[in-house]
Amino acid sequence: MIEVYIDGASAGNPGPSGAGIFIKNAGKVERFSLFLGEMTNHEAEFHALLHALKICLQNGFRTISIRTDSELVSRSMEKEFVKNKGYADLLHTALQLSKQFELFFIKWIPSSENKTADELARQGIRKHKEKGANTKNE
């Protein structure tokens, strides 16, 4: 089973946001650090999930276990419902993607167990800030 750790982060709420994805596959690891644009922290968490699901599908993974420190994302996926209608489209897309796997699990984990994905998400924000700073100096 493929273990996928995800996290979203925002520098402000809303603010520049990033997604971190850490995939463990039979001893091999892959790390993804993505800039997401301006959004809230909860939106960043959902976008981290969406990107992770797409990466796993592109790699042909059939059985995955997502680990997230976002209670909102894990509960929403398990219950297939979100109270805040602003997240409904994100949840709907995530549910559609998750149904393409033979087996899909999502589990909430404490932040202390998700440090790698958290750092990758923060790197996504920093990369964008550094790129913006370099662009302004040119």
Side-chain angles (χ1 to χ4, degrees):
M1 178 172 311
I2 310 300
E3 292 180 19
V4 184
Y5 294 79
I6 62 168
D7 201 14
S10 294
N13 203 20
S17 301
I21 302 162
F22 178 64
I23 300 174
K24 294 167 74 174
N25 177 11
K28 294 187 301 183
V29 298
E30 291 184 80
R31 293 173 173 85
F32 299 87
S33 180
L34 309 165
F35 178 69
L36 300 174
E38 295 274 327
M39 62 183 64
T40 67
N41 188 61
H42 288 313
E43 288 170 317
E45 297 281 4
F46 271 108
H47 281 278
L49 173 61
L50 293 175
H51 283 285
L53 292 171
K54 290 174 186 175
I55 289 166
C56 289
L57 287 168
Q58 289 168 353
N59 281 296
F61 301 151
R62 303 307 307 148
T63 303
I64 65 169
S65 177
I66 300 280
R67 316 290 170 90
T68 178
D69 60 14
S70 170
E71 291 184 47
L72 172 66
V73 169
S74 64
R75 280 192 193 138
S76 297
M77 289 296 290
E78 288 169 359
K79 294 181 180 187
E80 299 188 6
F81 175 79
V82 64
K83 288 181 185 176
N84 183 329
K85 298 303 177 203
Y87 306 133
D89 287 343
L90 294 168
L91 174 61
H92 176 75
T93 302
L95 289 169
Q96 293 304 313
L97 290 169
S98 71
K99 290 178 185 349
Q100 295 180 45
F101 295 94
E102 289 174 16
L103 285 173
F104 169 84
F105 301 96
I106 190 163
K107 177 182 178 183
W108 177 85
I109 59 173
S111 297
S112 62
E113 294 178 22
N114 206 28
K115 290 181 179 179
T116 301
D118 177 66
E119 180 54 33
L120 290 167
R122 294 179 192 290
Q123 282 178 19
I125 297 169
R126 282 195 302 273
K127 282 183 199 175
H128 175 73
K129 287 182 178 179
E130 290 166 6
K131 181 179 172 185
N134 291 338
T135 304
K136 290 176 186 171
N137 291 334
E138 292 177 356

